[in-house]
Every structure is written in C-alpha cells, then in structure tokens.
Amino acid sequence: MNVRQALVYASQWVDKLDAELLLGHCLRVARPHVYAWPEQLLTPLQQQQFIDLFEQRQAGKPVAYLTGCKEFWSLSLQVDEHTLIPRPDTESIVELALRKLPRTVQTIVDLGTGSGAIALALAFECRLWSIFATDLHLATLQRAKANAQRLGLNQVQFVAGDWLTALNYLQADAIIANPPYIAADDVHLAALCYEPQAALVAADQGLADLFTLIEQAKMQLKQGGFLLLEHGFDQSASVQAKMRQAGYQSIETCYDLTGHARGSFARYMR
Ligand SMILES: C[S@@+](CC[C@H](N)C(=O)[O-])C[C@H]1O[C@@H](n2cnc3c(N)ncnc32)[C@H](O)[C@@H]1O
C-alpha cells in the first residue's frame, strides 16, 4: 500500500484531515509530506499501525489521543488520557488576556491548566510574565510540566491542588481559568467519553466551579486585578450576575471565533 492508496481508503470512512494526520503520525512526517510523496510505500509495520489507528478513529477516539499531540496557539502540545484536548475556542480566552494585560512584569495564574494550554500560550507571548499553572490531578500536571520543558517555557511554575488553595498566599495580577462547566446530564457528554470527565463536568448545572472561582479569586487578586473565566455559551448571564454580586467591576463578555459568548472578564477593586 502506498500513501495515496492509504488516504483514499481511509477517507471513505473518516474525515480526510484526520486520515492525513494519522498517516503523517505513522510515517513520522509532517502533514505536507503526505501530499508531496503520494507514491511512498508504507512498510508492513507502518501499514499495520495505520490500520490500527484508523479503526480506533472510526470507533470515535479523537485524533489527538491517537497521535498524542494537538496544536494550540501555534504550540504543539502533548496530550494523553489525563488531559483535556485543548480547543480552538480557548484561544479566544488567550487572545483577550493578551489584549487586556500589560506586557510588564505580572503575576498570572492559570487554574486547571490541563495540557498547559493557556499558561504556555501566555508564556510564549510574554517572557516577562511570571506564570503559575495548577491542576488538581498530578498526572495532568506532569503532562503540562513536560510540555513546558519541551517548549523551553521555563517561567511557568506548576503547583498541584484544589483551585486557589494550591496558591495560598499568592497575590496575582490576573487569574484565568477554563474550569469544568458542563452539567452532568448534558447530552453532549456522550460525544466526549474519551476525555477525563473530571475536566468537563461540574455540579449545579455546570456552574459550581465557576462560582467557587469567582469567590476564591477575590482573596488573591491584587487591587484592580483581572479575572477571566471560560464558560459555556449559555452561562454568561449566570456567571456575570455572580461576578456583580461578588463585587467585581468592568465586566465584559469574551466571544469565540463563531461569535458565541465563551468567557467572562472582570476586575476586582477592594
Ligand atoms: C476544562 S479542563 C481545562 C484544561 C485546560 N486549561 C484547557 O483549557 O485546555 C479543566 C481542568 O481543570 C482541572 N480541575 C478540575 N477540578 C479542579 C480543581 N478542583 N482544582 C484544580 N483543577 C481542577 C481538570 O483536571 C482539568 O485539567
């Protein structure tokens, strides 16, 4: 079997882009290579690996878990079953943070860092920022730490623990998080069965962790500090009402690339 034949066969059953990514992974080459060398023959081992991955993809496993990596903000992040696959929507949270935060020395916190997506994108953009990235789960944090080391983004410090209790005495200029925010009975969860449920599901119709963070952040934001939370497209009214009630000001909505409300931003003045 050559590269063209493998792609033609697989593309009948799975997305063409997915087939190209899987084939590139088996051949240990970047995606453009599979266009440039359609006549290249697969070795029996490569062919077997491709069929194996292709069948797992057909069964619904996300490509990122099959190849072990996902592009986020032009960074190649390694992912595994302990980490949520970073989403393009979350790039709008990074974009808003970059628009709002001064490029001077700042202390920034990314809570529930997963693969390290938000913390590492911010570190990549501003070397002056001192960034703390946390996660409740050690295995997840190890993956984020390994991503930081591989990318040489050494100004990020990783701390394990439950939301802001992980960083007890720290006073931050900005606290950013993409916490779990899906309700336990949400029908979309079935399609996300390969991802860690602890990264997705929160109590109280998905609002419990968002509300905890709004309360906790007040204690650990400097005067005028920023809170930026990713949430579901239909959660901004509840999140922003909670922010107002907790005393935050200058509340704004962050929209994703498709124009859906994807996050809320606020400042805390004592
Ligand atoms: C929706 S995922 C976001 C991952 C990553 N920030 C991203 O945007 O791709 C939520 C993350 O929060 C972590 N998490 C869940 N509960 C937590 C808690 N109580 N304290 C700290 N992290 C928590 C999960 O392990 C998961 O990595």
Side-chain angles (χ1 to χ4, degrees), residues 21 64 67-79 86 91 115-117 120-121 124 143-144 146-153:
L21 289 168
T67 61
C69 74
K70 176 76 183 173
E71 294 291 316
F72 181 85
W73 199 263
S74 83
L75 304 173
S76 177
L77 299 178
Q78 293 188 347
V79 295
E91 291 181 340
S115 61
L120 298 179
F124 179 71
R143 176 56 65 194
N147 278 326
Q149 279 164 0
R150 203 170 32 78
L151 295 166
L153 297 169

Side-chain angles (χ1 to χ4, degrees), residues 146-239:
N147 278 326
Q149 279 164 0
R150 203 170 32 78
L151 295 166
L153 297 169
N154 301 322
Q155 83 266 41
V156 184
Q157 294 179 56
F158 294 90
V159 187
D162 187 359
W163 298 136
L164 276 157
T165 60
L167 300 167
N168 243 337
Y169 302 106
L170 188 91
Q171 289 294 297
D173 296 287
I175 294 175
I176 303 172
N178 171 17
Y181 55 73
I182 301 180
D185 59 358
D186 192 310
V187 288
H188 298 103
L189 278 175
L192 302 172
C193 62
Y194 287 93
E195 306 206 50
Q197 298 299 290
L200 296 168
V201 180
D204 301 336
Q205 285 305 299
L207 292 166
D209 287 311
L210 287 159
F211 284 9
T212 298
L213 290 170
I214 291 169
E215 281 302 330
Q216 286 188 358
K218 293 196 307 188
M219 314 297 162
Q220 288 185 247
L221 278 173
K222 293 181 188 170
Q223 171 69 0
F226 297 94
L227 175 64
L228 174 52
L229 297 176
E230 179 169 332
H231 53 64
F233 73 96
D234 54 354
Q235 290 172 324
S236 49
S238 308
V239 168

Side-chain angles (χ1 to χ4, degrees), residues 235-249:
Q235 290 172 324
S236 49
S238 308
V239 168
Q240 293 182 10
K242 178 73 179 173
M243 283 173 156
R244 263 190 297 279
Q245 181 203 332
Y248 289 83
Q249 297 175 24

Side-chain angles (χ1 to χ4, degrees), residues 72 82-87 90 110-118 134-137 140 161-164 177-181 198-200 209 230:
F72 181 85
H82 302 295
T83 56
L84 185 91
I85 300 168
R87 306 295 204 267
T90 303
D110 170 24
L111 297 169
T113 197
S115 61
I118 296 173
T134 77
D135 208 283
L136 184 61
H137 303 284
T140 310
D162 187 359
W163 298 136
L164 276 157
N178 171 17
Y181 55 73
L200 296 168
D209 287 311
E230 179 169 332

Side-chain angles (χ1 to χ4, degrees), residues 18-41:
D18 292 355
E20 290 165 0
L21 289 168
L22 294 178
L23 191 56
H25 177 71
C26 295
L27 299 177
R28 309 272 181 276
V29 297
R31 212 175 120 231
H33 181 105
V34 302
Y35 299 123
W37 305 101
E39 307 302 334
Q40 180 180 339
L41 286 175

